Structures are given as structure tokens and as C-alpha cells.
Amino acid sequence: MTADHRNSLTYKDAGVDIDAGEALVARIAPAAKATRRPGADADLGGFGGLFDLKAAGFKDPVLVASTDGVGTKLKIAIDTGLFGGIGQDLVAMCVNDLVVQGAEPLFFLDYYATGKLNVDEAAVVIQGIAKACHESGCALIGGETAEMPGLYAKGDFDLAGFSVGAVERGHVLPRTGAMHAGDVVIGVASSGVHSNGYSLVRRVVEQAGAKYDAPAPFDPSRTLGDTLLAPTRLYIRSGLSAIRTGGVKGLAHITGGGITENLPRALPDGLDAAIDLDAWTPPPVFSWLARAAGIEAAEMLRTFNCGLGFMAVVAADSAGHVIDAFQEAGEKAWRVGELVRGEGEAKVVYRGSLKL
């Protein structure tokens, strides 16, 4: 029997272009190979990524895993066509959560989903992921690109990331049993809004009638889109350097929920963090957001990082060494408070006024 091919369909007719996917893999392969590190060769294309913990030098490791996305910050990147930093955002949101447990990031996998694959745009994003992995000492050992016509609006895509790190048993953070009233809290500067609170950011931009391609109201030398898309800082090398001083008892990555919700996650019951709001000046973007929409300081502190993307709890006599370690690794760090006796679950107690 002869088949009638007049109405035959292909996968490409249905909206999925296998050739485009293969072209993307070929485009990003060199960037992925550049992330090679002991334990991983970072070749793409297999059914799974392999990692050799023994080759990485670990003797009795505990594995730490993290997964995240970049939230609605991605919508601003799509609206502006500025994709250069969004890959770093994705990596940072995962690997920063590993180092606060004392872990060294080992490998990363990404998930890129879209209605119709734009190879050029996707390549920029994934090359950004690879660059951030390299800067974090983390191998990009695999990922998935999914083309799903009908599920995403034209031009839209979504990102997710997954990372695994390791820490030798006995060195997991936080060491809450070693924390005491009088321990010092150190704040490490953020690069801006990072990757949280963008549903509110976008609402403020809309309400203010601001344009992403116009000069930022708080920095005329850059567009508003550029400033809002400043990538999340990677605190891996600086965080591990601080840990090696021996004085770090706990670390916190300040993401959704701000300082108010994230710092207590590193503290034991019965100890609060007294934070001096006068100790630092938030970047101008936060002042603009607060003033443009009348956002109260308490709401700012429980939504945004307000200028501190990372925090450390350290012994008082180690504070200077830890601050030096952050600064020598390229970060700005200050003493911003101390631990005080509290009741029940740990919380943040603010002193002074946020400089908005």
C-alpha cells in the first residue's frame, strides 16, 4: 500500500524546530566547556550530567541542593530585549543559597522553556549562565531547552536553574549552637534590586509612567531598564573566603522577604538580630521606588534587599578579619548590627532609620 503524503505533518509544522535546538547546543557548547572544573568535564548532550566528588577533593561530603528562577524580572528583560545579565541572575539565585550553608557549588543545570526558540536570544542567556558558573567555580554540566508552542505568548520564555554543592561533614552552616548575644552582623552590598520584588517594581514603573528605555530618574547616565536589570551579585568566592577565616557562624542570602524574613533563617530561637539602619546607604533605586509609590520603610525591608544582598553572623573578635575577606574578594562590607537576646523565634529588630 502506498502512503498518501499530501497531508503529512512534521514536528516543525507543529511548532517545534529540532534543528534550532541542535543549533543552540552547538552555539553554547564552547561556553559550557569553559566551566570545566575538577570532578566535571562539562560536555553537553548526554542524558545526564556526571560529577565525581572524589576528583573534586571531598572526603566526607554533605550535598546541598538549590533550585530557583529569576521571577518577573524576566519580563523586563523580554520587554527591553536586554538579556546579557539574566543568566547571571539565574545562577546567583541558586549558588548564593548554597554558600550560605557553607557549601562550594559544584555543578549547575538550566531549564529554558519557550513557545518558539529564538537561537540568538537563548544563546545570549545561556552564555551568561555559563559565564556566571565559571565565575562561581561551578560546572555547567547540562540543561534542557523546551520548545512548547501554545503554552507561552510570542516572545516569552521562562528560566529555572538547579545547582548542587558540597561541604565537608561538620562544617555545615549555620552553627546556631555557637551563636551568642554580642556576635556581630556584617552586611555585604548588593548591586541593586537583584532578582526579587519585581512584581512590585513593575507596578511602580507603570504607576509612575516611567519608560525602560528612558534615562533612570535616579541615574540619568543609564536607562531605567539597564539599572533595573543589573545582575544579582555572585557571593561565592567572597563567601567562601570569609568562611575560611574561621569566624563565620552563619550566612544569609537576602532574597524575597528582604532582611526581615531572610536573616532570621540563619539564627537560633532566643536570639534576635538588632540591625542599625543608619549603618549603610541603599543604592538610589530603592529611594526612587519608595518615593515614587509611597512604600513604607517596613515594607521595603520585607520586600527588597535594600542594599544588602548578603549578611554574615560572626564572632565579635573576628569581624574585622571577615570584613577584610569580603573586601579583598571585591565586595563592600560593613558592620550593620549585632545579636541580642530575644524571646521565641528569631527576628530582626531595626534601630535608626533607613536612608531612603
Side-chain angles (χ1 to χ4, degrees), residues 3 10 27 37 49 70 105 154 160 201 204-205 217 230 238 255 281 299 308 317-318 334 341-342:
T10 66
R27 179 88 68 88
R37 54 150 295 154
V70 297
K154 184 178 180 180
V201 169
V204 173
V205 171
S238 61
T255 55
T281 300
E299 183 68 11
L308 301 182
D317 59 3
S318 299
W334 313 269
R341 296 188 186 281

Side-chain angles (χ1 to χ4, degrees), residues 18 135 138 166 272 302 311 332:
I18 295 174
E135 292 179 9
C138 181
D272 295 339
R302 69 187 298 266
M311 302 182 83
K332 297 177 182 177

Side-chain angles (χ1 to χ4, degrees), residues 10-314:
T10 66
Y11 209 4
K12 189 172 184 178
D13 292 331
V16 178
D17 190 344
I18 295 174
D19 292 334
E22 292 178 347
L24 176 61
V25 172
R27 179 88 68 88
I28 64 176
K33 286 183 178 179
T35 69
R36 285 177 169 169
R37 54 150 295 154
D41 59 16
D43 283 332
L44 299 182
F47 289 99
L50 303 177
F51 193 92
D52 185 343
L53 277 169
K54 186 175 181 180
F58 287 91
K59 297 182 174 110
D60 186 18
V62 174
L63 295 179
V64 185
S66 177
T67 186
D68 212 334
V70 297
T72 58
K73 183 176 187 177
L74 190 58
K75 182 63 176 171
I76 299 178
I78 292 169
D79 288 347
T80 60
L82 301 173
F83 303 113
I86 209 75
Q88 178 169 321
D89 284 310
L90 182 66
V91 174
M93 292 302 293
C94 295
V95 297
N96 287 343
D97 280 355
L98 299 180
V99 76
V100 297
Q101 306 269 184
E104 173 190 344
L106 301 176
F107 60 85
F108 188 90
L109 297 97
D110 67 276
Y111 178 77
Y112 184 108
T114 185
K116 181 173 179 57
L117 181 61
N118 182 314
V119 174
D120 291 334
E121 290 180 357
V124 171
V125 173
I126 300 175
Q127 285 165 353
I129 290 171
K131 181 181 178 183
C133 284
H134 180 69
E135 292 179 9
S136 302
C138 181
L140 177 59
I141 64 171
E144 171 71 6
T145 302
E147 200 171 21
M148 296 184 283
L151 190 59
Y152 293 90
K154 184 178 180 180
D156 280 354
F157 65 91
D158 199 8
L159 287 174
F162 173 80
S163 189
V164 170
V167 54
E168 293 290 1
R169 196 177 307 275
H171 294 275
V172 178
L173 294 177
R175 295 186 292 119
T176 54
M179 293 182 184
H180 308 285
D183 284 344
V184 169
V185 180
I186 293 167
V188 186
S190 69
S191 56
V193 186
H194 281 186
S195 299
N196 300 101
Y198 275 83
S199 294
L200 179 55
V201 169
R202 291 168 51 241
R203 183 71 176 270
V204 173
V205 171
E206 179 184 1
Q207 185 173 302
K211 303 296 183 184
Y212 292 127
D213 59 356
F218 48 89
D219 184 0
S221 68
R222 304 170 65 192
T223 67
L224 180 59
D226 280 331
T227 58
L228 292 178
L229 289 170
T232 307
R233 289 199 68 80
L234 297 161
Y235 296 110
I236 309 312
R237 297 192 187 280
S238 61
L240 293 175
S241 178
I243 290 170
R244 285 193 289 270
T245 68
V248 174
K249 300 181 179 184
L251 296 167
H253 182 202
I254 309 305
T255 55
I259 298 170
T260 304
E261 301 295 334
N262 284 288
L263 184 53
R265 296 165 67 183
L267 305 178
D269 292 348
L271 284 177
D272 295 339
I275 300 300
D276 298 315
L277 296 175
D278 297 317
W280 79 97
T281 300
V285 60
F286 295 108
S287 298
W288 177 73
L289 289 168
R291 292 172 182 171
I295 306 173
E296 298 290 337
E299 183 68 11
M300 293 291 294
L301 288 162
R302 69 187 298 266
T303 304
F304 302 113
N305 65 64
C306 292
L308 301 182
F310 204 70
M311 302 182 83
V313 177
V314 306

